[in-house]
Amino acid sequence: MEKIKVKKKNLLAYIIMTLSFMGSCSVFQGTAGTLQWAMFYYGGPVVLLVLSMYCVLKNRSVRITKQRRFFLGLFCLPRIIMLGYSCIVWCITKPAFPYISRGISNTLFQCVAYFCGVCIVCSEKDDILKVSMASSVTVFVLTYLMGFVQNGVVFFRALNPLDEAADNFRKYTELHELAYIVGMCILMNLIVGKYTSLKKTNALFWASCVVFVIAWKRIGILAVAMTYLYFVVFSRSKRKDKSFFVRVTGIIGTIVCLVYVSLIVSGAFVASLKSLGIDMMGRDIIYGYFRKFANFSPAFFGKGVGFVGRQFDYTTREDLYNMVSIRALHNDFLKMYIDLGFVGFCLWVFWWLLKMPKILQKRYGIKKTFVCLLFVLYAFVLYTTDNAEGYTYFQMQLSAFITYICCFYDEQKTRNKILEFTKKPEVVSHNDAIMPCRINPEENE
């Protein structure tokens, strides 16, 4: 088994990403509103922006610049359009200024996330997976050490997610956003890892699997399992079949999202789960409160970006009972529906599941588009019961991996370079295994 190593040229990215990921963990943030909280909450995106600008200055070739612009447009333009639409809604509904400021800040954070993801991956290229996994595992280990220092030997029980005592230490092990990032890294490794600098025999991969299990985010585990199963079933299909599967997946996914939201807004979803004896862990209370702000109809125009997040600032115990301290809807589909309305929500789903794959297929070929769709599906599974759509670092990783797949990953060319490297290690460098950013889709097939 290979040792865990971080190359010197990746050290800066590793350090900054580690510090940024720490900012997503409450154990490092401390109490909200304090200086420590502000340093981690705002400092993470700031240092990532500095790293991104450094990456831009270091990689100013025409080819890389074009790719950066293309993917920044692909990810950021929809967010800007959503903000523009929200401005129209705000002009009509005239909400209090805090709702508007939240919508602007949410859009800014999302665009910063996409900017950082695209710029960093254009610099790290094939090493983005290793750096991401190393940073994530490091933060998990640091939280475990903190848990051990503050709780003593009993903390070891927290490392067994099936132990009832583990629930007492969830703030150290159940790191929501980071767990989903690790799940995405594991999925990335399972799908394309053998053609990158990180192989499944590397200790880093197995360390990621361990912390992912300890984190015990059940929706994350389900998302990895479902996405990888989809990959196994359809990955060996012919080009025309893959194209068909991508289109059908997008159409079915769009329909499922609409049906899912309609069931939640009507209350039928919660009623069905309760009839089956399924514990919703208080989500039914939150859903019940926010249902009054929406109705499932094409005439529902939404409340504007950021409404749901800001509304939590005005909720009381009378509204949410014992869930008043949660401060999150834990359902991104319902959140996006309330924020964007019926038409806006349909366009948002359409963009990710149908329009974006079509654009990528035309530019990069169906094989790469198929892999990119897998990561979108992974994210969409998480959106059903959590807040991953609004997680800055999760969205950064999602945009980084999609950009990597399209620009720097090529199975056949990388395999040939690896064979050549094995025969002539003194001649071929690892960087030579990186494919050109723009390829002919037909050649790739």
Side-chain angles (χ1 to χ4, degrees):
M1 180 178 293
E2 300 176 15
K3 296 181 179 180
I4 300 176
K5 297 179 180 179
V6 177
K7 299 177 183 178
K8 289 183 178 179
K9 73 183 186 71
N10 306 129
L11 188 58
L12 179 62
Y14 164 72
I15 293 174
I16 290 181
M17 289 179 67
T18 299
L19 292 173
S20 299
F21 289 168
M22 288 172 66
S24 69
C25 307
S26 59
V27 293
F28 296 111
Q29 288 180 354
T31 305
T34 62
L35 178 61
Q36 177 182 340
W37 175 85
M39 289 178 62
F40 275 105
Y41 185 79
Y42 295 107
V46 169
V47 293
L48 280 175
L49 270 175
V50 173
L51 174 62
S52 301
M53 294 306 300
Y54 171 74
C55 293
V56 170
L57 295 175
K58 192 175 67 171
N59 300 273
R60 290 185 288 181
S61 69
V62 175
R63 177 171 57 87
I64 293 295
T65 300
K66 287 182 177 180
Q67 294 302 318
R68 273 198 299 259
R69 289 175 179 173
F70 171 76
F71 281 98
L72 287 176
L74 195 70
F75 295 121
C76 293
L77 185 59
R79 302 299 308 191
I80 296 173
I81 293 175
M82 287 163 56
L83 180 62
Y85 172 76
S86 298
C87 288
I88 298 175
V89 173
W90 293 331
C91 288
I92 297 173
T93 60
K94 294 180 171 54
F97 181 74
Y99 290 96
I100 299 174
S101 63
R102 177 60 63 88
I104 295 173
S105 64
N106 281 5
T107 303
L108 181 61
F109 269 87
Q110 289 286 68
C111 290
V112 166
Y114 296 141
F115 178 80
C116 293
V118 172
C119 293
I120 292 173
V121 78
C122 286
S123 176
E124 299 302 314
K125 298 182 176 68
D126 194 50
D127 293 319
I128 187 62
L129 176 57
K130 179 178 289 186
V131 174
S132 300
M133 295 184 86
S135 299
S136 302
V137 170
T138 299
V139 176
F140 266 101
V141 171
L142 289 175
T143 58
Y144 296 164
L145 289 175
M146 184 178 293
F148 176 75
V149 170
Q150 295 180 358
N151 299 279
V153 179
V154 69
F155 178 74
F156 284 112
R157 297 187 66 180
L159 304 183
N160 178 9
L162 301 180
D163 191 332
E164 292 183 359
D167 291 335
N168 299 324
F169 306 98
R170 284 300 182 196
K171 70 175 183 178
Y172 300 104
T173 59
E174 192 180 275
L175 309 182
H176 302 266
E177 181 173 8
L178 199 59
Y180 296 144
I181 291 174
V182 172
M184 198 188 321
C185 290
I186 292 173
L187 190 63
M188 180 83 161
N189 188 272
L190 290 172
I191 295 174
V192 305
K194 62 182 177 180
Y195 302 117
T196 69
S197 61
L198 182 62
K199 317 299 188 296
K200 287 195 288 290
T201 55
N202 194 298
L204 190 55
F205 170 76
W206 296 110
S208 299
C209 292
V210 170
V211 299
F212 188 57
V213 172
I214 293 175
W216 202 243
K217 294 299 297 179
R218 286 165 292 185
I219 189 63
I221 295 173
L222 177 63
V224 170
M226 290 179 60
T227 307
Y228 187 63
L229 178 62
Y230 188 94
F231 167 73
V232 171
V233 172
F234 298 117
S235 61
R236 297 186 180 277
S237 303
K238 297 179 180 179
R239 182 172 65 86
K240 291 183 178 180
D241 292 336
K242 272 197 179 73
S243 182
F244 175 76
F245 291 141
V246 168
R247 287 196 301 272
V248 170
T249 299
I251 294 171
I252 294 177
T254 301
I255 295 173
V256 169
C257 289
L258 283 172
V259 172
Y260 178 64
V261 167
S262 70
L263 292 175
I264 294 178
V265 173
S266 67
F269 181 75
V270 171
S272 299
L273 293 184
K274 284 185 175 180
S275 66
L276 296 174
I278 298 176
D279 182 11
M280 295 193 66
M281 302 175 67
R283 286 181 174 84
D284 53 327
I285 298 174
I286 301 177
Y287 294 172
Y289 172 77
F290 278 96
R291 279 176 51 207
K292 67 183 182 181
F293 295 106
N295 60 82
F296 192 76
S297 166
F300 176 64
F301 297 108
K303 302 293 184 177
V305 172
F307 171 84
V308 171
R310 178 58 74 185
Q311 187 60 33
F312 274 102
D313 295 337
Y314 303 111
T315 55
T316 64
R317 184 168 293 275
E318 185 179 350
D319 297 318
L320 299 179
Y321 306 99
N322 60 317
M323 299 300 291
V324 70
S325 61
I326 300 301
R327 321 306 291 175
L329 185 54
H330 286 284
N331 189 313
D332 281 325
F333 290 119
L334 180 57
K335 181 197 75 173
M336 297 301 288
Y337 183 80
I338 295 174
D339 284 356
L340 300 177
F342 184 92
V343 175
F345 176 80
C346 290
L347 292 176
W348 174 72
V349 175
F350 171 80
W351 175 261
W352 281 98
L353 295 182
L354 288 166
K355 186 61 178 179
M356 183 185 291
K358 183 178 180 180
I359 294 173
L360 294 179
Q361 180 176 341
K362 183 178 180 180
R363 188 178 179 97
Y364 297 103
I366 187 59
K367 285 186 178 180
K368 290 173 179 282
T369 302
F370 174 73
V371 177
C372 290
L373 181 63
L374 295 175
F375 292 99
V376 175
L377 293 178
Y378 170 76
F380 267 52
V381 174
L382 299 180
Y383 295 167
T384 58
T385 64
D386 219 306
N387 314 301
E389 195 279 334
Y391 287 153
T392 301
Y393 305 117
F394 177 84
Q395 293 298 321
M396 182 190 77
Q397 287 295 149
L398 180 62
S399 61
F401 284 166
I402 290 176
T403 304
Y404 167 78
I405 292 298
C406 292
C407 294
F408 307 109
Y409 165 70
D410 183 68
E411 175 182 321
Q412 188 60 49
K413 290 185 179 182
T414 306
R415 181 194 291 124
N416 294 339
K417 290 296 182 181
I418 291 175
L419 292 174
E420 187 177 354
F421 176 81
T422 304
K423 296 178 181 178
K424 300 178 181 180
E426 72 283 358
V427 175
V428 180
S429 67
H430 173 71
N431 288 333
D432 291 333
I434 303 301
M435 61 162 285
C437 280
R438 178 64 184 267
I439 65 168
N440 186 329
E442 295 303 319
E443 291 179 357
N444 187 43
E445 303 306 332

